[in-house]
Every structure is written in C-alpha cells, then in structure tokens.
Amino acid sequence: IGDIDELNSCIGLLCCELPDSDSLQADLYEVQQNLFNLGGELAVPGYALITDAHILALEQWLDRLNAPLPPLTDFILPGGNRAASYCHLARSVCRRAERRLVTLARSNEVRPQCQSYLNRLSDLLFVAARVLARRDGGQEILWRHRAESKIES
C-alpha cells in the first residue's frame, strides 16, 4: 500500500509540471483516484474497486498516446525535460509497486485486476514520458550502446 501511495505522490508531482489545461493532467488526476481506490482494495479484503473497465480505459489511452509516436528503435534514457523525468520516475515506482503486488499475491488474495492495472499503467507512463520529452521541440535521450559510449573503461 505504501508503494501505491508513493506512486500516487509521484504522479501528483508530475501533474504539477503540466499546465492546468493539459488533458494529460486531467487523465492523470483520474489515475490518482484509481490508485487511491486500489490502495483501499488492498487494505480491505473482499473490497473490489478496480475493474476490467479501468484497465481497458488505460489501454485505450495508451493507444491514443502511442499512435503519433515514431516506432521505438533504441532504448531511451529517463529524461528529456522535467515533466518527462517525473513521468519516468512515476513509471519506475509503478514497476516496483507491481513487483511488490506480485509478491503479495503469492501469500494473500489479490485480484488480478489490481496487478493488470499497475502493469498497464507502467506502460502508459513510459509512453507518456515519450510524449512529454518531445513537447516544445524537445527530444528523447537515446541510450548509446557501450561500443558507442564516449567513456571507455
């Protein structure tokens, strides 16, 4: 539950970097509501708030965000600008929360929708970071293969 709370805080920080008129901000506020519900579901056995419809909404949003982006041909590094960096931070916290939830599910009842929601959310945050890095003429930072690295060891 603490990891879900930390993720929610990271998304709140990201939202502070986005203009109030940004539709991404409004959608992320909805994600924050869902994460609060997910935490409540984990805290109260038998309580079910995250549904397949929530997961489908993330998948549809992911498809809309991803459609205009060029295909990914290289790994990208977290960064590009402040908003993209916060989005990458939220993504990595989301992935940790997902791993912890999988571990929890080995010994406790956890509805699969909770795990699926975090899985799709981490993918969405990755794509959102790509979108944010490209805003205002910015760009993604590509990983250079070791052979291309400027630093030799």
Side-chain angles (χ1 to χ4, degrees):
I1 296 170
D3 287 335
I4 302 297
D5 188 40
E6 182 182 1
L7 170 59
N8 211 339
S9 297
C10 287
I11 291 174
L13 185 61
L14 168 60
C15 287
C16 290
E17 288 295 316
L18 302 175
D20 290 339
S21 62
D22 195 322
S23 64
L24 182 60
Q25 183 192 62
D27 289 334
L28 288 171
Y29 284 149
E30 187 63 29
V31 166
Q32 286 189 289
Q33 296 290 330
N34 293 337
L35 288 172
F36 203 84
N37 288 336
L38 195 154
E41 184 170 325
L42 295 175
V44 181
Y47 202 46
L49 293 172
I50 300 299
T51 67
D52 292 336
H54 292 106
I55 298 160
L56 180 61
L58 285 181
E59 290 171 348
Q60 291 170 341
W61 183 24
L62 176 62
D63 290 343
R64 284 192 313 273
L65 282 178
N66 203 29
L69 293 173
L72 194 59
T73 58
D74 293 295
F75 291 107
I76 61 170
L77 300 178
N81 59 42
R82 193 182 195 80
S85 296
Y86 283 139
C87 200
H88 279 292
L89 178 62
R91 175 192 53 81
S92 60
V93 171
C94 186
R95 290 179 57 99
R96 176 172 21 98
E98 181 186 3
R99 289 190 307 271
R100 298 282 306 269
L101 195 60
V102 167
T103 300
L104 179 67
R106 291 182 185 141
S107 59
N108 294 279
E109 185 176 331
V110 175
R111 293 177 55 252
Q113 288 87 348
C114 294
Q115 292 178 41
S116 294
Y117 188 85
L118 289 180
N119 178 270
R120 302 316 300 150
L121 180 57
S122 67
D123 288 346
L124 183 131
L125 290 168
F126 176 78
V127 172
R130 292 191 70 204
V131 168
L132 290 169
R134 294 167 171 279
R135 282 200 174 165
D136 301 322
Q139 61 185 10
E140 297 170 313
I141 302 169
L142 301 179
W143 171 70
R144 291 188 315 251
H145 187 271
R146 183 175 173 87
E148 301 168 10
S149 179
K150 293 181 181 180
I151 300 174
E152 299 295 325
S153 54

